[in-house]
Amino acid sequence: MGAHTHEQGQHSHAHSHGHSHGHGGHTHDGIDWTQLLDNLRRDDAMAAVTNAEIARRLIALPNDGGDRPTVMDAGAGAGGQSAAFAKELAARGGGRLVIVDATPELLDVAKEAAERALDGSDSVTIETIQADAAAADLAEQLPAADLVWASRMVHHLPDQQAGTTGLAGVVRPGGWLALAEGGLPIRCLPWELGLGRPGLQDRLLAARDAGFAQMRADIEGSVPMPYGWNTALSRAGLTDVTSFSVLTDHPAPPTDDVRESVIAWLGFLRERAVDLDDTDKTTLDALLDPAAPTFLGHRDDIYMLGATTVFIGRR
Ligand SMILES: C[S@@+](CC[C@H](N)C(=O)[O-])C[C@H]1O[C@@H](n2cnc3c(N)ncnc32)[C@H](O)[C@@H]1O
């Protein structure tokens, strides 16, 4: 789970670098994505407003595809953005939503999330397709789409440029590829906590960054992409390349959901953070112990603040 300065997007949980094997699907990162379902769902809940804003902006992009656009969510996870797309498409007269993932269990979860968002409306058709986004023949496996969205997925592929180029090949001429990568990782703690060393938040993000680098290094056939995502989109042959960013802002004092999400994220980090020193580990334990007076559950100064950056390019 690396926070990061370049690749990972703002969500907090879903970057394990564990090495257990998934059930049906195979991803290149060795991550068991079904096991991370609760984390993905929690991320989606915290990002609901962000996802709605992204859907609004992306579906409003000029498009040659006519009134009922085809929108694809590649690497949909628990389906938070699929749900936002479904709702936005329904509000704009309908369309077709294609949910793609390498992990079959997640396809069902994402489809259910999108169906729930439709709330009985039948103006949007929803399909699911199991596919490996790194496949050389991706464009043959998937229908052409007016908008192809991939959030925090391409950085799990061995060759991120090849993955970007492959996704661009699924875009209908005149349509758009949108990648959520980079952005600002979620922050949730004040600088000074009254225990441990100040600045824990920054060291946690650094540890998450190191975990991310390790995840990339452990992918078989991993190749570096020593430039930014706008360049990746340009090299994929797209034009009108730009980006926009949307804040996720849950201010202090936290609601119960935000509090729970912060605690879950820090718990996840505590389990996996190899790069933290013992003082910081002790501090985290004190923050996460429900029986301790230092428990985060008693604090009103925790929050969630991050930004999702969406890089777009037109075919
Ligand atoms: C970090 S999650 C992101 C989920 C969601 N897009 C979000 O931003 O919350 C990565 C997702 O990509 C999927 N994935 C990973 N490697 C993939 C591949 N090679 N092909 C297709 N999907 C893949 C995983 O199953 C998981 O659903």
Side-chain angles (χ1 to χ4, degrees):
M1 11 213 298
H4 63 94
T5 47
H6 38 250
E7 263 126 15
Q8 271 169 245
Q10 52 129 334
H11 297 249
S12 48
H13 302 98
H15 291 97
S16 148
H17 40 98
H19 291 272
S20 45
H21 286 287
H23 303 155
H26 287 284
T27 53
H28 300 267
D29 46 26
I31 295 172
D32 182 348
W33 287 104
T34 42
Q35 217 186 10
L36 290 176
L37 187 55
D38 283 348
N39 291 340
L40 289 166
R41 280 203 172 109
R42 213 175 270 123
D43 285 353
D44 279 347
M46 289 299 109
V49 173
T50 308
N51 292 345
E53 168 70 4
I54 289 170
R56 190 187 65 70
R57 289 180 70 158
L58 291 181
I59 292 177
L61 287 170
N63 215 311
D64 305 336
D67 292 341
R68 290 179 49 86
T70 298
V71 174
M72 183 178 296
D73 185 351
Q81 190 62 51
S82 283
F85 283 141
K87 203 167 176 183
E88 183 67 18
L89 284 171
R92 289 172 148 260
R96 176 185 181 200
L97 177 67
V98 182
I99 303 174
V100 177
D101 209 288
T103 311
E105 293 89 339
L106 292 183
L107 286 173
D108 296 335
V109 171
K111 186 175 187 206
E112 280 161 27
E115 277 166 353
R116 262 198 311 279
L118 281 176
D119 202 17
S121 158
D122 60 1
S123 63
V124 180
T125 58
I126 305 175
E127 294 147 62
T128 58
I129 301 175
Q130 186 186 351
D132 174 4
D137 63 346
L138 191 65
E140 277 106 76
Q141 295 186 42
L142 302 176
D146 301 291
L147 170 65
V148 175
W149 161 263
S151 167
R152 307 185 297 143
M153 188 276 278
V154 177
H155 65 243
H156 291 283
L157 305 181
D159 184 335
Q160 300 170 91
Q161 179 63 66
T164 301
T165 305
L167 288 169
V170 181
V171 177
R172 216 174 253 160
W176 297 84
L177 174 60
L179 302 181
E181 297 284 353
L184 300 172
I186 288 278
R187 300 177 159 270
C188 56
L189 298 174
W191 182 73
E192 196 171 358
L193 289 158
L195 65 161
R197 269 197 305 142
L200 175 64
Q201 172 72 85
D202 292 311
R203 293 190 298 283
L204 282 175
L205 293 181
R208 186 168 170 263
D209 208 12
F212 179 72
Q214 193 59 52
M215 185 279 289
R216 285 289 321 153
D218 287 347
I219 293 177
E220 204 181 311
S222 179
V223 296
M225 190 181 82
Y227 45 82
W229 291 97
N230 61 316
T231 304
L233 290 176
S234 296
R235 289 195 188 187
L238 303 176
T239 59
D240 300 337
V241 173
T242 185
S243 71
F244 64 89
S245 296
V246 182
L247 275 191
T248 295
D249 185 7
H250 299 287
T255 62
D256 289 345
D257 286 351
V258 169
R259 190 189 294 285
E260 207 179 288
S261 198
V262 168
I263 291 168
W265 174 44
L266 293 180
F268 185 82
L269 269 183
R270 175 64 184 91
E271 265 173 44
R272 300 174 198 241
V274 277
D275 264 30
L276 283 185
D277 67 20
D278 287 344
T279 310
D280 285 341
K281 284 182 182 162
T282 306
T283 305
L284 259 185
D285 286 341
L287 292 170
L288 291 169
D289 177 2
T294 48
F295 181 48
L296 283 175
H298 304 310
R299 296 187 77 116
D300 276 335
D301 56 359
I302 57 176
Y303 59 94
M304 293 183 94
L305 176 65
T308 299
T309 297
V310 181
F311 292 88
I312 61 171
R314 190 169 201 189
R315 177 144 178 204

